[in-house]
């Protein structure tokens, strides 16, 4: 265990500290975050590996849908207007499923934010994930924080030039891979990859790669925290999502203040001493360059790296972890009231500790039950109900549809034998990736028979061959004998069934006849 004056003090200053607030329009101050280690950093490594793996590898996954459909597991087939997601196939008229998923994502984001703050921003936001990846490259080439600061201040030399060129070249390779992975979601990945490499891909593919390469390189390598601070609207929106029971990364000044780098000497002099040794470790590891000890800030993405850094220092000096921790406002206020005698005096760390020097049992601690409250139950219920509705819709949706258009002119024709004939364009939508034999019949029109254009047979039922995943359009004439014709318009139905299955579809059409019959 180290004495407080033996803890390394880092020369780190927040880019926008509470004591010296920067104007809204100010030149960017470069941030050189120190590598952190601890449970939250390990969790971020896991999340980064999973999210990047999903993004880069998903287009290469295969899913057998038979010989009549693409075998790419996830594919946005714009040419044929289809969206494939493993066993699910979405047609343009079914886009409401995608809209439902986006609504679920929005409600899920509200749920996560109301319970654990900006966890999306700190762990899974693409900006956070790619900045983490770029920082891994930067540290591997230029070294950790101190080495990068020295390199930034050093004069240009062959070594500095080589390091900078290597770093930016690696960033560009990552950016190109990011743009390339994106276009593979819109075409067969192996085929498009060969075309891109050989220069035979469509120009829009190269344009997309170029645009995404530029945005990834600029946002992840050059702008970094400025995207979160100035471009992203979520920091401004999140305030409406939080309440007194939401978890946020918090500096517990009720046990940290007054700060001292020489705690033993100050305690011997009879001064009040908090747990914070003012080592600036929390500032040094922050990718946003802020000081969490200034309180809640718009720039904080709650990545919790400051928690890892502070916990490491507390371990070294023999203090309990949690000087910086995830905490609710209610717990913070209760502990602050305990440390200040309900606001009657300044923070006295002795009031939150027992006779043994450990934190008192009166200190409010977080437990999982605190995040379960009416608000989170409402969000969870809305999210679950929407998910169940989408799932029910997917499981019960029809894969066979029929639509009928009546000839506009003439509406009916009187044949030589006196019978009345109407013309219809019947559109049969086969929404499965295999050919089907469809039987088309009519109901509600006594004595009527059908004839398909190009077909020789006439009868009450016609057999149509429907191609897989295609719309089959058939011109059908419906004829009714004169003696059975009713004057005016008569409703009847086209009935369609799968000859080899159980699916059926129907459409109500109108049979036109003269208003008066002679």
């Amino acid at each position: 265990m180290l004495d407080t004056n033996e803890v390394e003090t880092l020369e780190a200053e927040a880019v926008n500290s509470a004591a010296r607030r920067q104007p809204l329009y100010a030149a960017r101050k470069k941030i050189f975050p120190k590598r952190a280690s601890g449970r939250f950093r390990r969790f971020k490594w896991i999340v980064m590996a999973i999210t990047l793996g999903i993004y880069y590898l998903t287009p290469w996954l295969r899913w057998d849908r038979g010989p009549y459909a693409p075998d790419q597991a996830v594919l946005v087939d714009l040419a044929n207007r289809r969206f494939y997601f493993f066993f699910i196939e979405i047609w343009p008229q079914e886009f409401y499923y995608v809209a439902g998923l986006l609504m679920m994502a929005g409600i899920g984001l509200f749920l996560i934010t109301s319970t654990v703050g900006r966890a999306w921003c700190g762990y899974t936001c693409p900006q956070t994930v790619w900045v983490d990846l770029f920082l891994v490259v930067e540290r591997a080439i230029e070294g950790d924080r101190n080495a990068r600061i020295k390199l930034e201040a050093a004069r240009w030399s062959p070594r500095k030039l080589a390091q900078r060129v290597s770093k930016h070249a690696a960033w560009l390779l990552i950016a190109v891979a990011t743009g390339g992975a994106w276009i593979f979601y819109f075409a067969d990945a192996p085929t498009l990859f060969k075309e891109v490499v050989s220069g035979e891909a469509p120009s829009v593919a190269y344009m997309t790669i170029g645009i995404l390469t530029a945005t990834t390189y600029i946002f992840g390598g050059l702008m970094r925290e400025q995207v979160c601070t100035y471009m992203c609207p979520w920091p401004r929106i999140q305030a409406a999502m939080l309440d007194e029971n939401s978890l946020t990364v918090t500096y517990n000044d009720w046990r940290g203040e007054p700060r001292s780098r020489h705690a033993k000497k100050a305690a011997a002099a009879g001064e009040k001493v908090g747990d914070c040794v003012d080592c600036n470790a929390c500032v040094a590891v922050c990718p946003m360059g802020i000081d969490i000890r200034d309180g809640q800030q718009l720039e904080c993405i709650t990545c919790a790296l400051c928690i890892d850094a502070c916990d490491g220092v507390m371990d070294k000096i023999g203090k309990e972890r949690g000087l910086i921790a995830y905490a609710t406002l209610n717990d913070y206020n209760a502990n602050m009231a305990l440390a200040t005698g309900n606001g009657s005096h300044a923070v006295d760390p002795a009031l939150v500790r027992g006779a043994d020097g450990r934190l008192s049992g009166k200190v409010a601690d977080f437990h999982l039950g605190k995040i379960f409250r009416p608000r989170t139950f409402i969000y969870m219920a809305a999210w679950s109900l929407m998910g169940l509705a989408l799932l029910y819709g997917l499981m019960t949706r029809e894969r066979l549809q029929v639509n009928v258009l009546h000839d506009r002119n003439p509406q009916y024709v009187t044949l030589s034998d006196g019978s009345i004939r109407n013309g219809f364009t019947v559109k049969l939508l086969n929404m499965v990736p295999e050919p089907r034999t469809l039987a088309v019949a009519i109901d509600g029109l006594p004595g009527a028979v059908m004839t398909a254009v190009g077909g020789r047979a006439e009868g009450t039922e016609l057999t149509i061959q429907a191609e897989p995943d295609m719309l089959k359009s058939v011109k059908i004439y419906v004829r009714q004998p004169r003696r059975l014709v009713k004057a005016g318009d008569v409703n009847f139905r086209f009935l369609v069934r799968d000859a080899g299955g159980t699916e059926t579809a129907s459409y109500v059409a109108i049979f036109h006849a003269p208003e008066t019959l002679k």
Side-chain angles (χ1 to χ4, degrees):
M1 186 174 69
L2 301 179
D3 193 358
T4 55
N5 58 5
E6 296 178 303
V7 175
E8 179 187 7
T9 300
L10 300 173
E11 294 299 326
E13 182 181 1
V15 296
N16 196 16
S17 66
R20 289 182 294 277
R21 283 293 180 188
Q22 297 294 318
L24 181 60
Y25 300 102
R28 175 177 182 256
K29 291 184 178 180
K30 285 190 176 182
I31 298 172
F32 303 92
K34 188 178 187 296
R35 179 170 182 173
S37 60
R39 49 183 174 153
F40 291 106
R41 179 63 269 182
R42 287 192 295 272
F43 181 65
K44 281 175 66 67
W45 287 133
I46 294 171
V47 172
M48 185 178 79
I50 292 174
T51 51
L52 289 175
I54 291 173
Y55 177 75
Y56 287 116
L57 299 179
T58 296
W60 301 92
L61 299 179
R62 302 291 101 181
W63 188 269
D64 185 14
R65 300 185 182 91
Y68 301 102
D71 65 349
Q72 187 162 308
V74 179
L75 176 64
V76 182
D77 189 354
L78 295 179
N80 296 304
R81 298 187 293 279
R82 304 283 189 279
F83 171 51
Y84 298 96
F85 185 81
F86 293 93
F87 63 91
I88 299 173
E89 179 184 356
I90 302 296
W91 286 59
Q93 64 269 28
E94 297 177 316
F95 195 78
Y96 51 83
Y97 288 113
V98 178
L101 287 175
L102 293 176
M103 292 175 66
M104 284 187 66
I107 295 174
L109 191 57
F110 296 160
L111 171 64
I112 294 298
T113 303
S114 66
T115 53
V116 292
R118 289 173 63 184
W120 160 262
C121 300
Y123 299 98
T124 55
C125 174
Q127 176 67 14
T128 298
V129 172
W130 263 267
V131 166
D132 263 358
L133 179 59
F134 277 39
L135 281 173
V136 169
V137 173
E138 185 172 276
R139 291 192 187 103
I141 296 174
E142 297 182 351
D144 205 0
R145 181 174 185 272
N146 292 339
R148 301 203 306 278
I149 292 175
K150 289 180 181 178
L151 183 66
E152 178 69 20
R155 293 177 178 272
W156 283 99
S157 64
R159 177 177 174 274
K160 180 175 180 177
L161 180 62
Q163 286 182 315
R164 288 294 167 87
V165 169
S166 300
K167 178 182 74 173
H168 287 276
W171 284 356
L172 283 171
L173 285 176
I174 294 172
V176 171
T178 302
W182 178 258
I183 66 171
F184 294 149
Y185 283 90
F186 297 87
D188 182 64
T191 303
L192 184 56
F193 176 76
K194 295 176 182 177
E195 292 176 348
V196 169
V197 173
S198 63
E200 298 174 355
S203 58
V204 67
Y206 296 106
M207 290 173 59
T208 303
I209 293 175
I211 292 171
L212 292 180
T213 296
T215 53
T216 304
Y217 173 74
I218 293 171
F219 291 168
L222 305 182
M223 294 185 67
R224 292 185 179 176
E225 77 287 343
Q226 290 193 314
V227 173
C228 305
T229 303
Y230 298 111
M231 296 176 63
C232 181
W234 190 239
R236 282 87 179 165
I237 298 173
Q238 67 145 352
M241 300 291 105
L242 301 176
D243 59 25
E244 295 84 352
N245 293 299
S246 300
L247 282 175
T248 56
V249 174
T250 305
Y251 168 62
N252 293 312
D253 50 356
W254 48 266
R255 62 169 280 199
E257 300 296 325
R259 307 172 197 174
S260 176
R261 296 183 181 179
H262 307 283
K264 285 188 176 181
K265 187 181 295 185
E271 299 176 8
K272 297 176 181 178
V273 180
D275 291 345
C276 180
V277 298
D278 206 17
C279 63
N280 292 327
C282 55
V283 182
V285 300
C286 180
M288 300 298 293
I290 65 171
D291 189 342
I292 192 62
R293 295 171 297 181
D294 290 337
Q296 288 296 311
Q297 299 158 69
L298 176 146
E299 296 90 346
C300 179
I301 60 173
T302 66
C303 64
L305 296 182
C306 53
I307 297 179
D308 282 340
C310 189
D311 284 350
V313 174
M314 293 298 104
D315 290 344
K316 291 178 182 178
I317 64 175
K319 298 287 187 179
E320 299 95 330
R321 292 184 170 192
L323 177 58
I324 301 175
Y326 274 105
T328 67
L329 182 60
N330 277 342
D331 287 347
Y332 173 83
N333 287 338
N335 293 331
M336 181 58 77
L338 180 64
T340 60
N342 289 320
S344 60
H345 52 73
V347 172
D348 184 355
L351 296 179
V352 298
R353 295 193 175 277
D356 59 355
R358 311 301 292 175
L359 287 176
S360 167
K362 297 180 181 179
V363 171
D365 291 322
F366 170 77
H367 58 81
L368 196 60
K370 291 184 179 181
I371 66 174
F372 295 108
R373 53 195 192 279
R375 184 176 187 175
T376 55
F377 284 128
I378 291 173
Y379 282 141
M380 179 59 75
W383 186 85
S384 301
L385 287 174
M386 187 166 294
L388 289 173
L390 290 176
L391 185 61
Y392 176 79
L394 282 171
M395 293 178 64
T396 59
R397 62 180 178 163
E398 296 179 350
R399 300 286 80 195
L400 175 62
Q401 295 182 10
V402 58
N403 189 31
V404 178
L405 299 177
H406 196 290
D407 286 354
R408 299 181 65 182
N409 189 28
Q411 289 189 334
Y412 63 87
V413 173
T414 302
L415 301 179
S416 58
D417 61 356
S419 60
I420 304 298
R421 187 183 73 183
N422 283 205
F424 300 89
T425 300
V426 179
K427 296 184 177 182
L428 305 169
L429 186 58
N430 177 20
M431 301 175 70
V432 296
E434 58 186 30
R436 291 204 281 189
T437 300
L438 304 178
V440 180
I442 52 178
D443 178 56
L445 203 61
V449 293
M450 296 182 295
T451 305
V453 173
R456 298 178 181 176
E458 181 181 66
T460 57
E461 184 175 279
L462 300 178
T463 299
I464 308 295
Q465 299 297 325
E467 291 80 5
D469 256 348
M470 293 290 289
L471 176 69
K472 179 74 172 183
S473 185
V474 182
K475 184 62 180 289
I476 294 178
Y477 290 110
V478 177
R479 181 176 61 84
Q480 189 177 30
R482 177 80 174 186
R483 58 187 175 81
L484 299 176
V485 174
K486 292 183 179 181
D489 298 339
V490 176
N491 289 339
F492 74 102
R493 290 192 304 161
F494 278 95
L495 302 177
V496 182
R497 62 180 177 84
D498 183 357
T502 59
E503 279 194 279
T504 61
S506 65
Y507 188 93
V508 176
I510 299 176
F511 187 85
H512 295 291
E515 293 293 335
T516 57
L517 297 173
K518 296 180 181 179

